[in-house]
Amino acid sequence: MSAALAVVSPGLLTTVQDLGRPGHAHLGVPHSGALDRRAHRLANALVGNAPEAATLETTLMGCTVRAVRALRTEMPVVAAVAGAVGPVRVDGRPAAWGAPVHVPAGSVLEVGPATHGVRAYVAFAGGVAPTPVLGSRSTDLLSGLGPEPLKAGDVVPLGTPAGPPPEGADVIPHAAPPTRLVLPLLLGPRADWFSADAIRALARAEYRVAPASNRVGLRLEGPAVKRSRDGELPSEGMVLGAVQVPPDGHPVVFLADHPTTGGYPVVGVVPAAALDAAAQARPGTAVRFVPSAVG
Amino acid sequence: MSLRIQPYGPEALLIDLDDTAQVGAVYADLLSLRDAGQLPGVRDIVPAAATVLLDGVADPRGVAARLADLEPQSRPQASGDTVELPARYDGPDLEDVAKLWEVAPAEVVRIHSGIEFQVAFTGFAPGFGYLVGLPERYAVPRRPTARTAVPAGAIGLAGAYTGVYPRRSPGGWQLIGTTDAVLWDLDREAPALLMPGTRVRFVPEDGGGKP
């Protein structure tokens, strides 16, 4: 048996995430996967993992895990934290954020509450390795696929490290967490459900990230986006970053666990590259859209 | 006429069609093209009520140009097996549906089990198919209040669609019956029993509704 993690505290919500389970949308299976893919990749790179390896995705409050010794090795577990910024401790002693950290067998790795951002990604050399479902270890909170969110007492297996962590993987620079989020918005496919005035108003409006935001969507509070037509849209396919406008007019930006089909008009799409920052925006963060036509 | 294709963000295309029949035909054509290697760099093809989404498209402009000449046309149904779902017409909303249809409950069973359905598209949950085949005059509204827990295997109606809940979940469809068929099983090679295009019949377990 390889090493494993025993969950001491899962914080507010800690899930296993990788790059998701693409290619099953026609069966109603969401894409899922890490919300801040850049941070997920970075954490993996710091411990010498491929980008596909699964990490732990925490939510605001971090998480605490104990390294469980592998049967025939005294090797410490190598971990790294990226994404949301917060204190990292091993057995109560401060350890590096954004750099490889050695966690001896039996020791406790504590990822503290985030001081900036929302979601920390905790990578372990060899990857977090619960049984994959449809090719992915991601927890999908919409459809319930993949491992359950972590609970205290859970034991999560780790994979076998490919090799020693890369040399010189030292402290990484991190972008300042967003105090305001500026989201490019490629208009369509249902921008014609809104008047030109409504689109102009959307471009001027300032929204706030609503507390009800989750892995399914970034929910926004602010001026309602007015539709120029009534009626229902027949269900149609939804994509990552789609900005759906429900009847109350408050836009929802679809994140990784979004439903595969939906019946509210999509005014535009936020490109995936801008969603990493969206995943780190706390409730109350100011949000603006910059609409443009698809180039 | 050519397909109405529009961009949907930086890496997807949405094809607008007139109806579910066109969706079925275009979806089948797209699968054939993909199988023939003609749609490289397309990750997901997702049919819906009156659209087909192509997502994860490496070159949306190139793909849109290649598909522009595809003709949306309804074709004869492809041959293939029909999935038979054993059904008990014992749902809590059977009486309400009978009233909406202005027939006796036994007649609802006879009508519903006499139709060959087809999966138009999926959504809501993994393995949840939207089955078409019920004539529009039998369309029913959703329940005014959604149930917090609908059991797995519940057979429901909403609009002119029939659906079967793959697992216990909240739901607002009018429940007319139950099946013991397993709609979604990750231990099967194909986890979803019902996929877009699958034909489906409901077979009353007790022979109810049959003379």
Side-chain angles (χ1 to χ4, degrees), chain A residues 22-28 143 189-190 235-237 295, chain B residues 6 8 14 16 43-45 48-49 51 61 122 127 167:
Chain A
H24 305 287
H26 64 294
L27 302 179
S143 70
R190 302 301 173 204
S235 279
E236 62 187 26
Chain B
Q6 51 174 327
Y8 189 165
L14 192 68
D16 277 304
R43 188 187 67 215
D44 284 289
I45 303 178
T51 56
R61 281 180 184 211
T122 68
R167 62 175 183 135

mmCIF file with all atom_site columns, all heavy atoms in Angstrom, chain A residues 22-28 143 189-190 235-237 295, chain B residues 6 8 14 16 43-45 48-49 51 61 122 127 167:
data_model
loop_
_atom_site.group_PDB
_atom_site.id
_atom_site.type_symbol
_atom_site.label_atom_id
_atom_site.label_alt_id
_atom_site.label_comp_id
_atom_site.label_asym_id
_atom_site.label_entity_id
_atom_site.label_seq_id
_atom_site.pdbx_PDB_ins_code
_atom_site.Cartn_x
_atom_site.Cartn_y
_atom_site.Cartn_z
_atom_site.occupancy
_atom_site.B_iso_or_equiv
_atom_site.pdbx_formal_charge
_atom_site.auth_seq_id
_atom_site.auth_comp_id
_atom_site.auth_asym_id
_atom_site.auth_atom_id
_atom_site.pdbx_PDB_model_num
ATOM 1   N N   . PRO A 1 22  ? -14.538 15.054 -19.057 1.00 0.00 ? 22  PRO A N   1
ATOM 2   C CA  . PRO A 1 22  ? -15.086 15.553 -20.316 1.00 0.00 ? 22  PRO A CA  1
ATOM 3   C C   . PRO A 1 22  ? -15.648 14.425 -21.176 1.00 0.00 ? 22  PRO A C   1
ATOM 4   O O   . PRO A 1 22  ? -15.309 13.252 -20.985 1.00 0.00 ? 22  PRO A O   1
ATOM 5   C CB  . PRO A 1 22  ? -13.872 16.195 -20.996 1.00 0.00 ? 22  PRO A CB  1
ATOM 6   C CG  . PRO A 1 22  ? -12.691 15.457 -20.436 1.00 0.00 ? 22  PRO A CG  1
ATOM 7   C CD  . PRO A 1 22  ? -13.073 15.136 -19.013 1.00 0.00 ? 22  PRO A CD  1
ATOM 8   N N   . GLY A 1 23  ? -16.510 14.776 -22.117 1.00 0.00 ? 23  GLY A N   1
ATOM 9   C CA  . GLY A 1 23  ? -16.941 13.827 -23.139 1.00 0.00 ? 23  GLY A CA  1
ATOM 10  C C   . GLY A 1 23  ? -18.189 13.040 -22.796 1.00 0.00 ? 23  GLY A C   1
ATOM 11  O O   . GLY A 1 23  ? -18.592 12.169 -23.560 1.00 0.00 ? 23  GLY A O   1
ATOM 12  N N   . HIS A 1 24  ? -18.830 13.327 -21.656 1.00 0.00 ? 24  HIS A N   1
ATOM 13  C CA  . HIS A 1 24  ? -20.042 12.605 -21.276 1.00 0.00 ? 24  HIS A CA  1
ATOM 14  C C   . HIS A 1 24  ? -21.261 13.518 -21.166 1.00 0.00 ? 24  HIS A C   1
ATOM 15  O O   . HIS A 1 24  ? -22.271 13.128 -20.595 1.00 0.00 ? 24  HIS A O   1
ATOM 16  C CB  . HIS A 1 24  ? -19.834 11.881 -19.941 1.00 0.00 ? 24  HIS A CB  1
ATOM 17  C CG  . HIS A 1 24  ? -18.654 10.962 -19.929 1.00 0.00 ? 24  HIS A CG  1
ATOM 18  N ND1 . HIS A 1 24  ? -18.639 9.746  -20.590 1.00 0.00 ? 24  HIS A ND1 1
ATOM 19  C CD2 . HIS A 1 24  ? -17.430 11.078 -19.365 1.00 0.00 ? 24  HIS A CD2 1
ATOM 20  C CE1 . HIS A 1 24  ? -17.462 9.157  -20.415 1.00 0.00 ? 24  HIS A CE1 1
ATOM 21  N NE2 . HIS A 1 24  ? -16.717 9.947  -19.676 1.00 0.00 ? 24  HIS A NE2 1
ATOM 22  N N   . ALA A 1 25  ? -21.157 14.732 -21.693 1.00 0.00 ? 25  ALA A N   1
ATOM 23  C CA  . ALA A 1 25  ? -22.241 15.706 -21.527 1.00 0.00 ? 25  ALA A CA  1
ATOM 24  C C   . ALA A 1 25  ? -23.543 15.208 -22.161 1.00 0.00 ? 25  ALA A C   1
ATOM 25  O O   . ALA A 1 25  ? -24.628 15.513 -21.684 1.00 0.00 ? 25  ALA A O   1
ATOM 26  C CB  . ALA A 1 25  ? -21.841 17.055 -22.121 1.00 0.00 ? 25  ALA A CB  1
ATOM 27  N N   . HIS A 1 26  ? -23.438 14.390 -23.231 1.00 0.00 ? 26  HIS A N   1
ATOM 28  C CA  . HIS A 1 26  ? -24.652 13.898 -23.891 1.00 0.00 ? 26  HIS A CA  1
ATOM 29  C C   . HIS A 1 26  ? -25.407 12.897 -23.021 1.00 0.00 ? 26  HIS A C   1
ATOM 30  O O   . HIS A 1 26  ? -26.541 12.554 -23.308 1.00 0.00 ? 26  HIS A O   1
ATOM 31  C CB  . HIS A 1 26  ? -24.305 13.276 -25.242 1.00 0.00 ? 26  HIS A CB  1
ATOM 32  C CG  . HIS A 1 26  ? -23.444 12.053 -25.131 1.00 0.00 ? 26  HIS A CG  1
ATOM 33  N ND1 . HIS A 1 26  ? -22.145 12.108 -24.667 1.00 0.00 ? 26  HIS A ND1 1
ATOM 34  C CD2 . HIS A 1 26  ? -23.687 10.756 -25.399 1.00 0.00 ? 26  HIS A CD2 1
ATOM 35  C CE1 . HIS A 1 26  ? -21.638 10.890 -24.658 1.00 0.00 ? 26  HIS A CE1 1
ATOM 36  N NE2 . HIS A 1 26  ? -22.552 10.044 -25.098 1.00 0.00 ? 26  HIS A NE2 1
ATOM 37  N N   . LEU A 1 27  ? -24.752 12.415 -21.937 1.00 0.00 ? 27  LEU A N   1
ATOM 38  C CA  . LEU A 1 27  ? -25.432 11.525 -20.995 1.00 0.00 ? 27  LEU A CA  1
ATOM 39  C C   . LEU A 1 27  ? -25.898 12.281 -19.759 1.00 0.00 ? 27  LEU A C   1
ATOM 40  O O   . LEU A 1 27  ? -26.374 11.674 -18.800 1.00 0.00 ? 27  LEU A O   1
ATOM 41  C CB  . LEU A 1 27  ? -24.485 10.389 -20.570 1.00 0.00 ? 27  LEU A CB  1
ATOM 42  C CG  . LEU A 1 27  ? -23.920 9.526  -21.691 1.00 0.00 ? 27  LEU A CG  1
ATOM 43  C CD1 . LEU A 1 27  ? -22.986 8.469  -21.117 1.00 0.00 ? 27  LEU A CD1 1
ATOM 44  C CD2 . LEU A 1 27  ? -25.050 8.864  -22.477 1.00 0.00 ? 27  LEU A CD2 1
ATOM 45  N N   . GLY A 1 28  ? -25.718 13.598 -19.762 1.00 0.00 ? 28  GLY A N   1
ATOM 46  C CA  . GLY A 1 28  ? -26.123 14.390 -18.603 1.00 0.00 ? 28  GLY A CA  1
ATOM 47  C C   . GLY A 1 28  ? -25.057 14.455 -17.520 1.00 0.00 ? 28  GLY A C   1
ATOM 48  O O   . GLY A 1 28  ? -25.355 14.807 -16.391 1.00 0.00 ? 28  GLY A O   1
ATOM 49  N N   . SER A 1 143 ? -24.193 16.296 -9.639  1.00 0.00 ? 143 SER A N   1
ATOM 50  C CA  . SER A 1 143 ? -24.768 14.989 -9.963  1.00 0.00 ? 143 SER A CA  1
ATOM 51  C C   . SER A 1 143 ? -24.379 13.904 -8.970  1.00 0.00 ? 143 SER A C   1
ATOM 52  O O   . SER A 1 143 ? -24.882 12.790 -9.057  1.00 0.00 ? 143 SER A O   1
ATOM 53  C CB  . SER A 1 143 ? -24.356 14.575 -11.370 1.00 0.00 ? 143 SER A CB  1
ATOM 54  O OG  . SER A 1 143 ? -22.983 14.280 -11.394 1.00 0.00 ? 143 SER A OG  1
ATOM 55  N N   . PRO A 1 189 ? -25.102 32.671 -27.038 1.00 0.00 ? 189 PRO A N   1
ATOM 56  C CA  . PRO A 1 189 ? -25.936 32.563 -28.244 1.00 0.00 ? 189 PRO A CA  1
ATOM 57  C C   . PRO A 1 189 ? -27.338 33.168 -28.102 1.00 0.00 ? 189 PRO A C   1
ATOM 58  O O   . PRO A 1 189 ? -28.035 33.290 -29.091 1.00 0.00 ? 189 PRO A O   1
ATOM 59  C CB  . PRO A 1 189 ? -26.047 31.048 -28.419 1.00 0.00 ? 189 PRO A CB  1
ATOM 60  C CG  . PRO A 1 189 ? -25.974 30.507 -27.025 1.00 0.00 ? 189 PRO A CG  1
ATOM 61  C CD  . PRO A 1 189 ? -25.036 31.425 -26.281 1.00 0.00 ? 189 PRO A CD  1
ATOM 62  N N   . ARG A 1 190 ? -27.740 33.603 -26.897 1.00 0.00 ? 190 ARG A N   1
ATOM 63  C CA  . ARG A 1 190 ? -29.106 34.129 -26.744 1.00 0.00 ? 190 ARG A CA  1
ATOM 64  C C   . ARG A 1 190 ? -29.100 35.602 -26.366 1.00 0.00 ? 190 ARG A C   1
ATOM 65  O O   . ARG A 1 190 ? -29.994 36.064 -25.661 1.00 0.00 ? 190 ARG A O   1
ATOM 66  C CB  . ARG A 1 190 ? -29.883 33.303 -25.710 1.00 0.00 ? 190 ARG A CB  1
ATOM 67  C CG  . ARG A 1 190 ? -29.990 31.818 -26.031 1.00 0.00 ? 190 ARG A CG  1
ATOM 68  C CD  . ARG A 1 190 ? -30.656 31.544 -27.358 1.00 0.00 ? 190 ARG A CD  1
ATOM 69  N NE  . ARG A 1 190 ? -30.577 30.122 -27.700 1.00 0.00 ? 190 ARG A NE  1
ATOM 70  C CZ  . ARG A 1 190 ? -30.651 29.669 -28.960 1.00 0.00 ? 190 ARG A CZ  1
ATOM 71  N NH1 . ARG A 1 190 ? -30.810 30.499 -29.982 1.00 0.00 ? 190 ARG A NH1 1
ATOM 72  N NH2 . ARG A 1 190 ? -30.571 28.374 -29.190 1.00 0.00 ? 190 ARG A NH2 1
ATOM 73  N N   . SER A 1 235 ? -34.986 23.569 -23.444 1.00 0.00 ? 235 SER A N   1
ATOM 74  C CA  . SER A 1 235 ? -33.691 23.179 -22.876 1.00 0.00 ? 235 SER A CA  1
ATOM 75  C C   . SER A 1 235 ? -32.635 23.083 -23.963 1.00 0.00 ? 235 SER A C   1
ATOM 76  O O   . SER A 1 235 ? -32.874 22.507 -25.021 1.00 0.00 ? 235 SER A O   1
ATOM 77  C CB  . SER A 1 235 ? -33.814 21.818 -22.197 1.00 0.00 ? 235 SER A CB  1
ATOM 78  O OG  . SER A 1 235 ? -34.371 21.979 -20.925 1.00 0.00 ? 235 SER A OG  1
ATOM 79  N N   . GLU A 1 236 ? -31.454 23.645 -23.678 1.00 0.00 ? 236 GLU A N   1
ATOM 80  C CA  . GLU A 1 236 ? -30.350 23.513 -24.633 1.00 0.00 ? 236 GLU A CA  1
ATOM 81  C C   . GLU A 1 236 ? -29.043 23.315 -23.887 1.00 0.00 ? 236 GLU A C   1
ATOM 82  O O   . GLU A 1 236 ? -28.951 23.544 -22.681 1.00 0.00 ? 236 GLU A O   1
ATOM 83  C CB  . GLU A 1 236 ? -30.284 24.727 -25.562 1.00 0.00 ? 236 GLU A CB  1
ATOM 84  C CG  . GLU A 1 236 ? -30.023 26.041 -24.876 1.00 0.00 ? 236 GLU A CG  1
ATOM 85  C CD  . GLU A 1 236 ? -30.153 27.220 -25.843 1.00 0.00 ? 236 GLU A CD  1
ATOM 86  O OE1 . GLU A 1 236 ? -30.876 27.105 -26.844 1.00 0.00 ? 236 GLU A OE1 1
ATOM 87  O OE2 . GLU A 1 236 ? -29.506 28.251 -25.596 1.00 0.00 ? 236 GLU A OE2 1
ATOM 88  N N   . GLY A 1 237 ? -28.025 22.880 -24.620 1.00 0.00 ? 237 GLY A N   1
ATOM 89  C CA  . GLY A 1 237 ? -26.739 22.566 -24.019 1.00 0.00 ? 237 GLY A CA  1
ATOM 90  C C   . GLY A 1 237 ? -26.106 23.782 -23.372 1.00 0.00 ? 237 GLY A C   1
ATOM 91  O O   . GLY A 1 237 ? -26.234 24.904 -23.870 1.00 0.00 ? 237 GLY A O   1
ATOM 92  N N   . GLY A 1 295 ? -14.988 36.986 -31.490 1.00 0.00 ? 295 GLY A N   1
ATOM 93  C CA  . GLY A 1 295 ? -14.094 37.447 -32.548 1.00 0.00 ? 295 GLY A CA  1
ATOM 94  C C   . GLY A 1 295 ? -13.796 36.398 -33.578 1.00 0.00 ? 295 GLY A C   1
ATOM 95  O O   . GLY A 1 295 ? -14.076 35.240 -33.414 1.00 0.00 ? 295 GLY A O   1
ATOM 96  N N   . GLN B 2 6   ? -24.250 29.090 -34.711 1.00 0.00 ? 6   GLN B N   1
ATOM 97  C CA  . GLN B 2 6   ? -23.683 30.304 -34.148 1.00 0.00 ? 6   GLN B CA  1
ATOM 98  C C   . GLN B 2 6   ? -22.626 29.988 -33.104 1.00 0.00 ? 6   GLN B C   1
ATOM 99  O O   . GLN B 2 6   ? -22.663 28.945 -32.463 1.00 0.00 ? 6   GLN B O   1
ATOM 100 C CB  . GLN B 2 6   ? -24.768 31.209 -33.578 1.00 0.00 ? 6   GLN B CB  1
ATOM 101 C CG  . GLN B 2 6   ? -25.735 30.539 -32.632 1.00 0.00 ? 6   GLN B CG  1
ATOM 102 C CD  . GLN B 2 6   ? -26.672 31.577 -32.011 1.00 0.00 ? 6   GLN B CD  1
ATOM 103 O OE1 . GLN B 2 6   ? -26.279 32.718 -31.789 1.00 0.00 ? 6   GLN B OE1 1
ATOM 104 N NE2 . GLN B 2 6   ? -27.891 31.189 -31.738 1.00 0.00 ? 6   GLN B NE2 1
ATOM 105 N N   . TYR B 2 8   ? -20.661 30.037 -29.644 1.00 0.00 ? 8   TYR B N   1
ATOM 106 C CA  . TYR B 2 8   ? -21.145 29.957 -28.269 1.00 0.00 ? 8   TYR B CA  1
ATOM 107 C C   . TYR B 2 8   ? -19.880 30.035 -27.414 1.00 0.00 ? 8   TYR B C   1
ATOM 108 O O   . TYR B 2 8   ? -19.296 29.012 -27.063 1.00 0.00 ? 8   TYR B O   1
ATOM 109 C CB  . TYR B 2 8   ? -21.873 28.615 -28.114 1.00 0.00 ? 8   TYR B CB  1
ATOM 110 C CG  . TYR B 2 8   ? -22.661 28.355 -26.852 1.00 0.00 ? 8   TYR B CG  1
ATOM 111 C CD1 . TYR B 2 8   ? -23.572 27.298 -26.810 1.00 0.00 ? 8   TYR B CD1 1
ATOM 112 C CD2 . TYR B 2 8   ? -22.523 29.118 -25.714 1.00 0.00 ? 8   TYR B CD2 1
ATOM 113 C CE1 . TYR B 2 8   ? -24.317 27.019 -25.680 1.00 0.00 ? 8   TYR B CE1 1
ATOM 114 C CE2 . TYR B 2 8   ? -23.250 28.856 -24.572 1.00 0.00 ? 8   TYR B CE2 1
ATOM 115 C CZ  . TYR B 2 8   ? -24.139 27.799 -24.558 1.00 0.00 ? 8   TYR B CZ  1
ATOM 116 O OH  . TYR B 2 8   ? -24.864 27.523 -23.423 1.00 0.00 ? 8   TYR B OH  1
ATOM 117 N N   . LEU B 2 14  ? -23.352 26.392 -31.461 1.00 0.00 ? 14  LEU B N   1
ATOM 118 C CA  . LEU B 2 14  ? -24.720 25.958 -31.203 1.00 0.00 ? 14  LEU B CA  1
ATOM 119 C C   . LEU B 2 14  ? -25.470 25.921 -32.530 1.00 0.00 ? 14  LEU B C   1
ATOM 120 O O   . LEU B 2 14  ? -25.483 26.908 -33.270 1.00 0.00 ? 14  LEU B O   1
ATOM 121 C CB  . LEU B 2 14  ? -25.413 26.914 -30.228 1.00 0.00 ? 14  LEU B CB  1
ATOM 122 C CG  . LEU B 2 14  ? -26.736 26.406 -29.660 1.00 0.00 ? 14  LEU B CG  1
ATOM 123 C CD1 . LEU B 2 14  ? -26.510 25.215 -28.731 1.00 0.00 ? 14  LEU B CD1 1
ATOM 124 C CD2 . LEU B 2 14  ? -27.465 27.515 -28.909 1.00 0.00 ? 14  LEU B CD2 1
ATOM 125 N N   . ASP B 2 16  ? -28.991 25.723 -34.273 1.00 0.00 ? 16  ASP B N   1
ATOM 126 C CA  . ASP B 2 16  ? -30.427 25.913 -34.027 1.00 0.00 ? 16  ASP B CA  1
ATOM 127 C C   . ASP B 2 16  ? -31.229 25.137 -35.053 1.00 0.00 ? 16  ASP B C   1
ATOM 128 O O   . ASP B 2 16  ? -30.992 25.252 -36.257 1.00 0.00 ? 16  ASP B O   1
ATOM 129 C CB  . ASP B 2 16  ? -30.787 27.401 -34.131 1.00 0.00 ? 16  ASP B CB  1
ATOM 130 C CG  . ASP B 2 16  ? -30.500 28.146 -32.845 1.00 0.00 ? 16  ASP B CG  1
ATOM 131 O OD1 . ASP B 2 16  ? -31.023 27.730 -31.793 1.00 0.00 ? 16  ASP B OD1 1
ATOM 132 O OD2 . ASP B 2 16  ? -29.743 29.138 -32.889 1.00 0.00 ? 16  ASP B OD2 1
ATOM 133 N N   . ARG B 2 43  ? -15.032 17.861 -28.527 1.00 0.00 ? 43  ARG B N   1
ATOM 134 C CA  . ARG B 2 43  ? -15.042 17.046 -27.320 1.00 0.00 ? 43  ARG B CA  1
ATOM 135 C C   . ARG B 2 43  ? -16.418 16.475 -27.017 1.00 0.00 ? 43  ARG B C   1
ATOM 136 O O   . ARG B 2 43  ? -16.568 15.300 -26.720 1.00 0.00 ? 43  ARG B O   1
ATOM 137 C CB  . ARG B 2 43  ? -14.561 17.904 -26.145 1.00 0.00 ? 43  ARG B CB  1
ATOM 138 C CG  . ARG B 2 43  ? -14.343 17.150 -24.850 1.00 0.00 ? 43  ARG B CG  1
ATOM 139 C CD  . ARG B 2 43  ? -14.044 18.114 -23.715 1.00 0.00 ? 43  ARG B CD  1
ATOM 140 N NE  . ARG B 2 43  ? -15.223 18.918 -23.419 1.00 0.00 ? 43  ARG B NE  1
ATOM 141 C CZ  . ARG B 2 43  ? -15.185 20.191 -23.033 1.00 0.00 ? 43  ARG B CZ  1
ATOM 142 N NH1 . ARG B 2 43  ? -14.042 20.809 -22.907 1.00 0.00 ? 43  ARG B NH1 1
ATOM 143 N NH2 . ARG B 2 43  ? -16.302 20.842 -22.792 1.00 0.00 ? 43  ARG B NH2 1
ATOM 144 N N   . ASP B 2 44  ? -17.451 17.321 -27.062 1.00 0.00 ? 44  ASP B N   1
ATOM 145 C CA  . ASP B 2 44  ? -18.802 16.907 -26.691 1.00 0.00 ? 44  ASP B CA  1
ATOM 146 C C   . ASP B 2 44  ? -19.796 17.299 -27.775 1.00 0.00 ? 44  ASP B C   1
ATOM 147 O O   . ASP B 2 44  ? -19.718 18.398 -28.319 1.00 0.00 ? 44  ASP B O   1
ATOM 148 C CB  . ASP B 2 44  ? -19.239 17.587 -25.381 1.00 0.00 ? 44  ASP B CB  1
ATOM 149 C CG  . ASP B 2 44  ? -18.601 16.977 -24.141 1.00 0.00 ? 44  ASP B CG  1
ATOM 150 O OD1 . ASP B 2 44  ? -18.970 15.843 -23.796 1.00 0.00 ? 44  ASP B OD1 1
ATOM 151 O OD2 . ASP B 2 44  ? -17.740 17.632 -23.529 1.00 0.00 ? 44  ASP B OD2 1
ATOM 152 N N   . ILE B 2 45  ? -20.732 16.392 -28.064 1.00 0.00 ? 45  ILE B N   1
ATOM 153 C CA  . ILE B 2 45  ? -21.852 16.709 -28.956 1.00 0.00 ? 45  ILE B CA  1
ATOM 154 C C   . ILE B 2 45  ? -23.119 16.472 -28.135 1.00 0.00 ? 45  ILE B C   1
ATOM 155 O O   . ILE B 2 45  ? -23.384 15.347 -27.706 1.00 0.00 ? 45  ILE B O   1
ATOM 156 C CB  . ILE B 2 45  ? -21.835 15.828 -30.217 1.00 0.00 ? 45  ILE B CB  1
ATOM 157 C CG1 . ILE B 2 45  ? -20.495 15.981 -30.957 1.00 0.00 ? 45  ILE B CG1 1
ATOM 158 C CG2 . ILE B 2 45  ? -23.000 16.198 -31.141 1.00 0.00 ? 45  ILE B CG2 1
ATOM 159 C CD1 . ILE B 2 45  ? -20.369 15.101 -32.198 1.00 0.00 ? 45  ILE B CD1 1
ATOM 160 N N   . ALA B 2 48  ? -30.320 18.639 -27.716 1.00 0.00 ? 48  ALA B N   1
ATOM 161 C CA  . ALA B 2 48  ? -31.303 19.127 -26.748 1.00 0.00 ? 48  ALA B CA  1
ATOM 162 C C   . ALA B 2 48  ? -32.634 19.246 -27.479 1.00 0.00 ? 48  ALA B C   1
ATOM 163 O O   . ALA B 2 48  ? -32.861 18.569 -28.479 1.00 0.00 ? 48  ALA B O   1
ATOM 164 C CB  . ALA B 2 48  ? -30.850 20.437 -26.128 1.00 0.00 ? 48  ALA B CB  1
ATOM 165 N N   . ALA B 2 49  ? -33.552 20.099 -26.978 1.00 0.00 ? 49  ALA B N   1
ATOM 166 C CA  . ALA B 2 49  ? -34.911 20.121 -27.531 1.00 0.00 ? 49  ALA B CA  1
ATOM 167 C C   . ALA B 2 49  ? -34.933 20.594 -28.990 1.00 0.00 ? 49  ALA B C   1
ATOM 168 O O   . ALA B 2 49  ? -35.611 20.003 -29.832 1.00 0.00 ? 49  ALA B O   1
ATOM 169 C CB  . ALA B 2 49  ? -35.792 21.009 -26.662 1.00 0.00 ? 49  ALA B CB  1
ATOM 170 N N   . THR B 2 51  ? -31.817 22.155 -30.394 1.00 0.00 ? 51  THR B N   1
ATOM 171 C CA  . THR B 2 51  ? -30.441 22.558 -30.685 1.00 0.00 ? 51  THR B CA  1
ATOM 172 C C   . THR B 2 51  ? -29.514 21.355 -30.572 1.00 0.00 ? 51  THR B C   1
ATOM 173 O O   . THR B 2 51  ? -29.847 20.368 -29.940 1.00 0.00 ? 51  THR B O   1
ATOM 174 C CB  . THR B 2 51  ? -29.928 23.597 -29.661 1.00 0.00 ? 51  THR B CB  1
ATOM 175 O OG1 . THR B 2 51  ? -30.051 23.049 -28.348 1.00 0.00 ? 51  THR B OG1 1
ATOM 176 C CG2 . THR B 2 51  ? -30.688 24.917 -29.741 1.00 0.00 ? 51  THR B CG2 1
ATOM 177 N N   . ARG B 2 61  ? -14.415 27.986 -36.128 1.00 0.00 ? 61  ARG B N   1
ATOM 178 C CA  . ARG B 2 61  ? -14.706 28.519 -37.466 1.00 0.00 ? 61  ARG B CA  1
ATOM 179 C C   . ARG B 2 61  ? -14.590 27.439 -38.530 1.00 0.00 ? 61  ARG B C   1
ATOM 180 O O   . ARG B 2 61  ? -15.424 27.338 -39.423 1.00 0.00 ? 61  ARG B O   1
ATOM 181 C CB  . ARG B 2 61  ? -13.736 29.651 -37.807 1.00 0.00 ? 61  ARG B CB  1
ATOM 182 C CG  . ARG B 2 61  ? -14.121 30.945 -37.147 1.00 0.00 ? 61  ARG B CG  1
ATOM 183 C CD  . ARG B 2 61  ? -13.127 32.010 -37.528 1.00 0.00 ? 61  ARG B CD  1
ATOM 184 N NE  . ARG B 2 61  ? -13.441 33.241 -36.811 1.00 0.00 ? 61  ARG B NE  1
ATOM 185 C CZ  . ARG B 2 61  ? -13.199 34.443 -37.287 1.00 0.00 ? 61  ARG B CZ  1
ATOM 186 N NH1 . ARG B 2 61  ? -12.631 34.585 -38.470 1.00 0.00 ? 61  ARG B NH1 1
ATOM 187 N NH2 . ARG B 2 61  ? -13.512 35.499 -36.584 1.00 0.00 ? 61  ARG B NH2 1
ATOM 188 N N   . THR B 2 122 ? -30.622 14.247 -23.047 1.00 0.00 ? 122 THR B N   1
ATOM 189 C CA  . THR B 2 122 ? -30.531 13.969 -21.618 1.00 0.00 ? 122 THR B CA  1
ATOM 190 C C   . THR B 2 122 ? -30.259 15.270 -20.880 1.00 0.00 ? 122 THR B C   1
ATOM 191 O O   . THR B 2 122 ? -30.068 16.314 -21.488 1.00 0.00 ? 122 THR B O   1
ATOM 192 C CB  . THR B 2 122 ? -29.405 12.975 -21.289 1.00 0.00 ? 122 THR B CB  1
ATOM 193 O OG1 . THR B 2 122 ? -28.166 13.617 -21.558 1.00 0.00 ? 122 THR B OG1 1
ATOM 194 C CG2 . THR B 2 122 ? -29.520 11.703 -22.093 1.00 0.00 ? 122 THR B CG2 1
ATOM 195 N N   . GLY B 2 127 ? -27.947 10.108 -16.952 1.00 0.00 ? 127 GLY B N   1
ATOM 196 C CA  . GLY B 2 127 ? -28.842 9.027  -17.322 1.00 0.00 ? 127 GLY B CA  1
ATOM 197 C C   . GLY B 2 127 ? -30.307 9.401  -17.397 1.00 0.00 ? 127 GLY B C   1
ATOM 198 O O   . GLY B 2 127 ? -31.151 8.545  -17.676 1.00 0.00 ? 127 GLY B O   1
ATOM 199 N N   . ARG B 2 167 ? -32.008 8.253  -10.179 1.00 0.00 ? 167 ARG B N   1
ATOM 200 C CA  . ARG B 2 167 ? -31.711 8.100  -8.756  1.00 0.00 ? 167 ARG B CA  1
ATOM 201 C C   . ARG B 2 167 ? -32.648 9.019  -7.994  1.00 0.00 ? 167 ARG B C   1
ATOM 202 O O   . ARG B 2 167 ? -33.298 9.890  -8.566  1.00 0.00 ? 167 ARG B O   1
ATOM 203 C CB  . ARG B 2 167 ? -30.252 8.440  -8.451  1.00 0.00 ? 167 ARG B CB  1
ATOM 204 C CG  . ARG B 2 167 ? -29.920 9.873  -8.789  1.00 0.00 ? 167 ARG B CG  1
ATOM 205 C CD  . ARG B 2 167 ? -28.506 10.251 -8.373  1.00 0.00 ? 167 ARG B CD  1
ATOM 206 N NE  . ARG B 2 167 ? -28.311 11.673 -8.671  1.00 0.00 ? 167 ARG B NE  1
ATOM 207 C CZ  . ARG B 2 167 ? -27.737 12.529 -7.835  1.00 0.00 ? 167 ARG B CZ  1
ATOM 208 N NH1 . ARG B 2 167 ? -27.300 12.144 -6.678  1.00 0.00 ? 167 ARG B NH1 1
ATOM 209 N NH2 . ARG B 2 167 ? -27.614 13.794 -8.174  1.00 0.00 ? 167 ARG B NH2 1
#
